């Protein structure tokens, strides 16, 4: 499907008249562009190329560093690693504090139950009234002309509070309890004014911090300001910065971006490492990562509990980098962020922990993804149903894989066990995270990443992945025999510069002029 899409766009790009002598050359340049970025050749570059101002090698060099290449290459890696569904950051658990969403939510207006009118005595209503003065968890109402931010309650609660404040009839139809009258009157404005009619003349207009482009619904023109009841504006601030967007539910555009950015973090790290000519080994042994401004805004505000829980403490940049110090939720640009020395490229990103369920799975996924190998048992080997040895490195049949896998898994002993919601790190300094792989031993995931990068198969696998990205298919046996060695030598001879290899692949004569083309 990907190759078909490339051909369709390529034909469209070539539809304008050019001289016959230029047609083949232009087709080759367009193929390079489509392969590297998934898009036709930029018009200015196309014009310069036809005028003979830039050679095709310069096109390949420029496009393999372009933001569109980073995005396209990252999408390839997201598919390769299995990062296909954005996860819900608000549902992640933090030790001793519950999930992040529950910790971050400001209270909603109290919901009254008419079955239990005795609950709403003076003492309890005083607490309700005090709570109503704090900032709120917002909701979004989709009016015809613009979205509206509200903090209003259910209609039945609104009716009960109105009755209690104006007629002294409380929930359940009985008179309100002694001493509670002032508090019913105190909370009434919130229930009346925080969710006005869509055409109310007192509504104000605001562009909220968490949806500056009005992406909340396709019915609205980009940039349409939200309408805001005055009381909501009073509680939430000029750009609603005091209110939490998590209450917006399915209309929470900010968290849609955060969830996607967290999922794409490993793939962006790989793509930036390649585009920036950094040693490819950094994808599994470097301490840097890539964050968007939106992702950083979440971490700086709502996700603070993540920082202290990381092995070795917070990221090195958390107190100094502008995207954390002065976060901007609308900032979609990418930034290189320094983490502490315990980190190991993508192996210690939140997404990698959530993708892999268990420490054995983390080790196995890394083995398969970056060495292009799979654990297997010899042909004819059979499990012994009577062997229940709890040590899988010694149990018959299991030992073939687990004698290597168990020591590899130990490198991740400080990192989260499960790939579902649990994001708990082991902070006990006495915990043993010494692992062993390929005859080398060390402590922590960062050491495992270094051992992987030094493995002979790491370069082979990097080239195979690059070839698959360029050609839309895995290497054949003939490719492995005739092309792989030269590309691997180039990779190793350039200090693991994979971009140079990719550039060579798209400039190869057999790629530009395939047989039968």
């Amino acid at each position: 499907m990907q190759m078909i899409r490339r051909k369709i766009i390529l034909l469209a790009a070539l539809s304008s008249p050019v001289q016959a002598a230029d047609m083949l050359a232009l087709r080759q340049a367009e193929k390079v562009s489509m392969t590297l970025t998934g898009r036709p050749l930029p018009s200015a570059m196309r014009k310069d190329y036809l005028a003979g101002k830039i050679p095709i090698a310069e096109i390949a060099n420029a496009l393999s560093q372009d933001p569109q290449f980073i995005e396209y290459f990252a999408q390839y890696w997201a598919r390769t690693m299995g990062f296909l569904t954005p996860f819900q950051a608000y549902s992640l658990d933090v030790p001793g504090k519950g999930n992040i969403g529950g910790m971050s939510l400001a209270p909603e207006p109290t919901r009254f139950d008419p079955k239990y009118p005795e609950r709403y005595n003076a003492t309890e209503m005083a607490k309700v009234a005090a709570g109503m003065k704090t900032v709120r968890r917002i909701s979004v109402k989709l009016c015809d002309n613009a979205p509206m931010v509200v903090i209003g309650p259910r209609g039945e609660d609104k009716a009960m509070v109105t009755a209690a404040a104006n007629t002294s009839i409380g929930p359940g139809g009985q008179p309100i309890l002694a001493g509670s009258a002032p508090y019913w009157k105190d909370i009434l404005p919130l229930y009346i004014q925080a969710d006005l009619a869509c055409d109310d003349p007192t509504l104000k207009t605001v562009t909220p911090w968490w949806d500056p482009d009005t992406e909340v619904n396709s019915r609205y023109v980009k940039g349409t300001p939200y309408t805001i009841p005055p009381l909501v504006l009073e509680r939430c601030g000029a750009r609603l910065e005091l209110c939490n967007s998590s209450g917006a539910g399915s209309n929470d555009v900010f968290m849609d971006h955060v969830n996607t950015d967290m999922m794409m973090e490993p793939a962006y790290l790989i793509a930036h490492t390649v585009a920036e000519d950094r040693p490819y080994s950094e994808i599994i042994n470097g301490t840097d990562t890539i964050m968007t401004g939106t992702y950083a805004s979440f971490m700086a505000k709502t996700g603070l509990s993540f920082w202290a829980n990381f092995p070795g403490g917070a990221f090195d940049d958390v107190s100094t980098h502008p995207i954390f110090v002065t976060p901007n939720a609308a900032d979609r640009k990418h930034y290189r962020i320094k983490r502490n020395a315990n980190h190991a490229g993508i192996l210690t990103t939140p997404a990698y922990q959530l993708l892999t369920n268990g420490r054995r799975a983390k080790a196995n996924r890394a083995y398969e993804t970056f060495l292009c190998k799979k654990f297997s048992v010899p042909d004819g080997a059979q499990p012994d149903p009577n062997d229940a040895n709890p040590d899988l490195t010694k149990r018959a049949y299991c030992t073939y894989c687990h004698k290597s896998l168990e020591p590899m898994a130990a490198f991740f002993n400080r990192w989260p066990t499960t790939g579902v919601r649990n994001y708990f790190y082991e902070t006990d300094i006495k915990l043993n995270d010494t692992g062993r792989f390929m005859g080398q031993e060390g402590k922590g995931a960062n050491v495992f990443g270094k051992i992987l990068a030094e493995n002979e198969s790491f370069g082979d696998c990097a080239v195979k992945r690059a070839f698959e990205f360029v050609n839309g298919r895995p290497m054949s046996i003939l490719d492995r025999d005739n092309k792989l060695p030269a590309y691997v030598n180039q990779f190793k001879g350039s200090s693991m510069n994979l971009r140079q290899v990719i550039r060579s692949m798209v400039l190869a004569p057999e790629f530009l002029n395939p047989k039968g083309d």
Side-chain angles (χ1 to χ4, degrees):
M1 182 62 70
Q2 183 180 5
M3 294 301 293
I4 293 174
R5 178 176 176 272
R6 285 180 180 177
K7 288 182 178 179
I8 291 173
I9 299 180
L10 180 60
L11 290 173
L14 294 172
S15 60
S16 59
V18 295
Q19 295 180 2
D22 295 330
M23 181 62 73
L24 177 60
L26 179 58
R27 184 180 182 187
Q28 291 173 340
E30 290 286 358
K31 185 176 183 181
V32 169
S33 181
M34 286 298 304
T35 298
L36 294 177
T37 68
R39 298 189 177 193
L41 197 64
S43 57
M45 189 173 284
R46 189 173 191 259
K47 180 179 179 181
D48 287 345
Y49 181 63
L50 289 173
K53 294 181 179 179
I54 55 172
I56 194 169
E58 186 175 327
I59 288 176
N61 189 62
L63 292 181
S64 60
Q65 295 175 305
D66 191 86
Q68 291 299 334
F69 166 77
I70 291 173
E71 184 64 35
Y72 198 51
F73 196 49
Q75 290 173 8
Y76 160 78
W77 267 104
R79 294 191 299 271
T80 298
M81 291 186 288
F83 298 112
L84 302 178
T85 304
F87 51 84
Q88 296 299 320
Y90 276 139
S91 70
L92 299 179
D93 292 332
V94 177
K97 298 181 179 180
N99 65 68
I100 291 179
M103 292 187 301
S104 66
L105 297 183
E108 290 183 298
T110 296
R111 293 182 170 183
F112 296 97
D113 190 337
K115 295 180 180 179
Y116 304 101
E118 67 277 5
R119 292 179 179 174
Y120 310 117
N121 55 49
T123 301
E124 291 304 313
M125 288 306 300
K127 295 178 182 178
V128 169
M132 293 296 101
K133 298 183 185 303
T134 63
V135 293
R136 295 279 137 217
R137 179 169 59 168
I138 62 175
S139 299
V140 175
K141 183 165 69 173
L142 302 179
C143 296
D144 289 340
N145 298 323
M148 181 194 291
V149 170
V150 299
I151 52 177
R154 300 175 302 175
E156 55 266 37
D157 291 313
K158 187 175 184 178
M160 283 187 279
V161 172
T162 302
N166 293 337
T167 69
S168 297
I169 299 299
Q174 303 297 319
I176 59 176
L177 299 179
S180 67
Y183 305 114
W184 289 106
K185 294 183 182 298
D186 195 20
I187 67 175
L188 181 59
L190 181 72
Y191 286 80
I192 298 297
Q193 298 176 30
D195 182 8
L196 300 176
C198 289
D199 59 353
D200 191 286
T202 66
L203 291 171
K204 309 296 183 181
T205 56
V206 168
T207 299
W209 66 272
W210 45 270
D211 188 12
D213 293 327
T214 319
E215 298 179 61
V216 68
N217 193 287
S218 59
R219 76 173 73 178
Y220 304 119
V221 177
K222 184 176 180 178
T224 300
Y226 283 59
T227 55
I228 316 291
L231 184 60
V232 176
L233 198 59
E234 176 187 318
R235 298 291 180 90
C236 293
R239 295 190 63 233
L240 311 184
E241 63 275 5
L242 298 179
C243 285
N244 198 316
S245 70
S246 61
S250 60
N251 298 317
D252 190 345
V253 177
F254 170 63
M255 284 308 298
D256 288 344
H257 286 313
V258 170
N259 290 328
T260 300
D261 293 346
M262 291 184 75
M263 177 194 71
M264 290 295 294
E265 180 182 0
Y268 283 144
L269 179 55
I270 293 174
H272 275 276
T273 298
V274 172
E276 296 168 13
D277 290 331
R278 301 171 76 97
Y280 189 68
S281 55
E282 289 187 8
I283 70 170
I284 53 174
N285 67 19
T287 57
D288 287 1
T289 193
I290 299 296
M291 283 188 173
T292 65
T294 307
Y295 181 5
S297 179
F298 168 78
M299 294 301 286
K301 294 180 179 180
T302 309
L304 286 175
S305 296
F306 270 143
W307 297 122
N309 197 36
F310 282 171
F315 288 0
D316 289 348
D317 274 352
V318 68
S319 60
T320 57
H321 199 289
I323 63 172
F324 301 123
V325 177
T326 55
N328 176 7
D331 185 0
R332 305 296 298 139
K333 295 191 292 294
H334 294 185
Y335 298 88
R336 184 169 286 275
I337 302 299
K338 296 183 183 300
R339 302 178 294 181
N340 63 51
N342 292 293
H343 284 273
I346 75 165
L347 303 180
T348 54
T349 57
Y352 189 79
Q353 308 307 309
L354 294 166
L355 176 71
T356 49
N357 190 4
R359 287 160 184 152
R360 294 188 188 103
K362 300 182 200 308
N364 184 56
R365 180 64 66 98
Y367 184 80
E368 292 183 353
T369 303
F370 303 111
L371 300 185
C372 294
K373 294 182 176 181
K374 288 183 178 291
F375 286 107
S376 61
V377 299
D379 291 339
Q382 297 293 326
D384 181 357
N386 296 318
D387 187 350
N389 193 325
D391 185 347
L392 298 181
T393 65
K394 298 179 180 179
R395 185 186 300 181
Y397 189 77
C398 298
T399 184
Y400 295 111
C401 300
H402 283 272
K403 65 182 179 182
S404 297
L405 188 56
E406 297 301 316
M408 291 167 64
F411 287 115
F412 290 99
N413 278 350
R414 290 193 180 278
W415 297 87
T417 305
T418 178
V420 187
R421 290 177 52 181
N422 180 345
Y423 208 67
F424 300 172
Y425 292 95
E426 300 289 349
T427 56
D428 184 357
I429 60 174
K430 297 179 182 178
L431 186 142
N432 184 9
D433 58 347
T434 299
R436 187 174 66 258
F437 179 55
M438 299 298 294
Q440 298 185 61
E441 192 173 274
K443 293 176 65 65
N446 51 347
V447 172
F448 178 52
K450 292 175 183 177
I451 296 173
L452 277 177
E454 293 169 0
N455 190 279
E456 188 68 24
S457 296
F458 180 73
D460 290 24
C461 188
V463 169
K464 290 176 183 176
R465 300 293 187 197
F467 183 91
E468 184 176 24
F469 167 72
V470 168
N471 293 277
R473 63 171 177 83
M475 274 190 162
S476 66
I477 294 176
L478 288 177
D479 293 326
R480 293 198 295 269
D481 290 342
N482 299 324
K483 299 178 181 179
L484 181 61
Y487 285 135
V488 170
N489 287 337
Q490 181 183 13
F491 175 73
K492 294 179 178 178
S494 61
S495 300
M496 296 190 180
N497 187 322
L498 191 62
R499 188 177 72 87
Q500 288 190 17
V501 176
I502 293 174
R503 187 177 55 187
S504 295
M505 287 179 176
V506 299
L507 294 175
E510 63 271 23
F511 178 81
L512 294 175
N513 297 295
K515 292 180 180 179
D517 214 19

